[in-house]
Amino acid sequence: MTIDDITAISGNALFLIIKTSAPILLVSLIVGLIISIFQTVTSIQEQTLTFVPKIICVFFTVIILGHWILSQISEYMIDLWANFSMYIR
C-alpha cells in the first residue's frame, strides 16, 4: 500500500463525511437563521428558544435522509472491503 492509496482512501472518506453531513448541517443552519431573525424582529432575547426547533428539524432530517446516508456509508465500506486484498500488499 502506497502513500497515494492512503491519500485516496482518506480523501474519499473525508468527501463522504462532508457529503453525508451537509444536509443535516444546512437544515440546522437555516432553522437557526430563521429563528434568529424572528428573535430580532420580535425583540425576544431568549437563548434557549433555538434549541427545540433545531432538534426537531434535525431529527426529521435524519428520519428522511437516514436511509440515503446509511446507503452511502455502506457502499463506501463495501468498496473498501472488496479491495482489501489490494490494500494489504
Side-chain angles (χ1 to χ4, degrees):
M1 181 175 231
T2 65
I3 297 295
D4 294 334
D5 293 334
I6 295 171
T7 304
I9 292 170
S10 301
N12 290 337
L14 287 174
F15 180 71
L16 179 67
I17 290 168
I18 292 169
K19 184 171 69 170
T20 55
S21 66
I24 297 170
L25 293 174
L26 285 175
V27 166
S28 178
L29 177 76
I30 291 169
V31 169
L33 182 65
I34 290 170
I35 292 172
S36 295
I37 291 171
F38 174 74
Q39 283 180 323
T40 302
V41 169
T42 59
S43 297
I44 298 174
Q45 297 301 322
E46 182 63 34
Q47 296 295 323
T48 60
L49 183 64
T50 61
F51 292 122
V52 174
K54 274 188 187 180
I55 290 173
I56 291 171
C57 290
V58 166
F59 179 71
F60 283 124
T61 304
V62 169
I63 288 175
I64 293 169
L65 296 177
H67 177 71
W68 174 77
I69 292 170
L70 186 60
S71 68
Q72 293 290 314
I73 294 171
S74 297
E75 286 175 15
Y76 182 71
M77 288 307 298
I78 289 169
D79 185 45
L80 280 179
W81 282 107
N83 297 324
F84 187 72
S85 62
M86 185 177 67
Y87 297 140
I88 59 174
R89 288 188 212 176

